[in-house]
Amino acid sequence: MRERIIEIVATHTATRTPEAGHLANTSVDVYRTRLAERSQIEPRPHNTVWGSMDNPGPLSSPELRSYADRGYHTERNVLAAADIDACLREVASITERLGDDERVIREKSSGDVRSLFAVHQLSEVIAEICSRESIAGVARQILDDDVTIHQSRINLKPGFAGGPFYWHSDFETWHAEDGMPAPRALSVSLALTPNFSTNGPLMIIPGSHRRFVSCVGSTPDGYHHESLTSYRPPFGTPEEEDVAVLADELGIDTITGPAGSALYFDSNCLHASAGNITPYPRSNLFVVFNAASNALREPFGGTSPRPDHLAHR
Ligand SMILES: O=C(O)CCC(=O)C(=O)O
């Protein structure tokens, strides 16, 4: 297995990328999942970078090519120290204000807060950060469209007690459970604490965004709460053999960097993170941008749509 620790620095890597053609408005579901007893790994027919590699915006053409190739891009100093302090104050105040609200997800074992959802709606400070050119502007450039926030959340991994997140593609879930038609969406993960190689940083299988790994099993209605509290949910996670095939072929990148760093990653990257038993907390703000032309429909997996705080319609 090829393992790389990616320290976020302002590197510019140029790589070649034959991109597939656009299939924006196809009526055939080319991402069939949760319907069969066997999984499949298939090529992704849609682009990663939409429009062209010369789309105007914060990223250079080589950075766009590299994003199309590997499925992610990193930058340092996207948030200033004052932004980070403000976000962490918002976490404390939202948690206190909301108590047992459904937007607060707690670790099953310890009761510690694992995730806070819809934070851009709960905090004007966070909404302003999400709207910046260095954040929403990058999404508009990559997706070549106006964007909406599909979901926002802060994932907290307190020292000694932060739980893991099992391997998954976000797009697989958003397609099956939220009715997102195509992977014309991306996440920006903003580090509110340092992400060390040891405190549960994100791991990505680079290039996995170019394959669609279907998941097994028809999903029960109302299942979403369990999927958020369980580190390895029984639905919407790929088979171990499929993760192993892709990790053997493509390797695993571990994304580390100081507080204030950003990781922009395609909605279909296979990613995961380990638990945090170091003394050092790891908290990241995730903002998911969806292209305006990729508006949600009925869920493709046959369940009822998830609540608005998980999938804004
Ligand atoms: O916070 C993390 O480390 C993983 C987050 C993630 O994969 C998710 O929330 O979908």
Side-chain angles (χ1 to χ4, degrees):
M1 201 276 291
R2 274 174 293 126
E3 183 195 11
R4 305 195 320 158
I5 307 284
I6 307 295
E7 167 77 15
I8 298 182
V9 285
T11 49
H12 294 211
T13 330
T15 39
R16 50 50 289 150
T17 306
E19 281 273 272
H22 289 189
L23 284 175
N25 294 315
T26 177
S27 56
V28 178
D29 182 12
V30 289
Y31 299 106
R32 286 171 60 81
T33 187
R34 318 267 181 113
L35 301 168
E37 287 177 3
R38 291 179 69 90
S39 63
Q40 277 187 300
I41 303 180
E42 290 181 300
R44 160 193 178 144
H46 286 104
N47 273 16
T48 310
V49 172
W50 297 71
S52 88
M53 298 296 168
D54 298 321
N55 285 349
L59 303 193
S60 65
S61 299
E63 285 169 337
L64 286 177
R65 282 196 199 90
S66 172
Y67 179 90
D69 195 42
R70 302 189 73 73
Y72 71 86
H73 172 76
T74 57
E75 291 280 351
R76 275 192 184 200
N77 300 317
V78 173
L79 295 185
D83 297 325
I84 296 165
D85 289 347
C87 284
L88 292 174
R89 276 197 303 274
E90 291 295 84
V91 169
S93 117
I94 293 170
T95 308
E96 194 176 317
R97 229 163 60 222
L98 292 192
D100 283 338
D101 187 277
E102 60 181 351
R103 289 165 287 188
V104 183
I105 306 296
R106 292 181 183 274
E107 295 285 356
K108 269 185 188 157
S109 48
S110 62
D112 287 341
V113 176
R114 176 175 168 88
S115 304
L116 285 179
F117 278 92
V119 286
H120 72 290
Q121 293 180 331
L122 291 164
S123 157
E124 283 179 19
V125 171
I126 294 175
E128 185 278 318
I129 287 174
C130 297
S131 71
R132 292 181 188 169
E133 185 61 12
S134 57
I135 297 168
V138 173
R140 275 192 292 270
Q141 182 184 16
I142 290 172
L143 303 176
D144 191 35
D145 201 350
D146 285 338
V147 291
T148 59
I149 294 186
H150 172 68
Q151 185 189 86
S152 69
R153 61 190 185 278
I154 293 177
N155 285 346
L156 299 149
K157 284 195 185 177
F160 296 112
F165 290 78
Y166 192 72
W167 292 102
H168 63 284
S169 145
D170 289 328
F171 171 68
E172 192 279 338
T173 302
W174 300 335
H175 186 66
E177 298 186 23
D178 300 337
M180 183 181 284
R184 193 169 183 170
L186 60 82
S187 294
V188 186
S189 167
L190 296 151
L192 303 179
T193 61
N195 279 226
F196 302 117
S197 60
T198 47
N199 67 349
L202 216 69
M203 298 181 285
I204 290 185
I205 299 185
S208 58
H209 65 296
R210 292 155 165 273
R211 320 279 174 82
F212 183 71
V213 184
S214 62
C215 296
V216 168
S218 153
T219 308
D221 231 9
Y223 152 79
H224 58 266
H225 190 73
E226 191 187 335
S227 76
L228 300 173
T229 53
S230 141
Y231 108 87
R232 186 176 177 176
F235 304 98
T237 49
E239 302 297 292
E240 287 180 359
E241 307 79 67
D242 293 339
V243 175
V245 163
L246 291 174
D248 283 351
E249 180 188 336
L250 302 166
I252 294 177
D253 289 354
T254 302
I255 315 294
T256 64
S261 303
L263 163 69
Y264 308 80
F265 63 105
D266 180 84
S267 58
N268 191 43
C269 282
L270 270 191
H271 63 284
S273 63
N276 180 17
I277 53 168
T278 72
Y280 312 110
R282 194 234 68 177
S283 299
N284 290 357
L285 163 62
F286 288 80
V287 195
V288 180
F289 294 100
N290 187 23
S293 57
N294 196 35
L296 304 187
R297 303 179 190 169
E298 286 301 303
F300 288 81
T303 48
S304 308
R306 297 195 299 172
D308 187 74
H309 66 280
L310 300 178
H312 304 304
R313 283 176 183 271

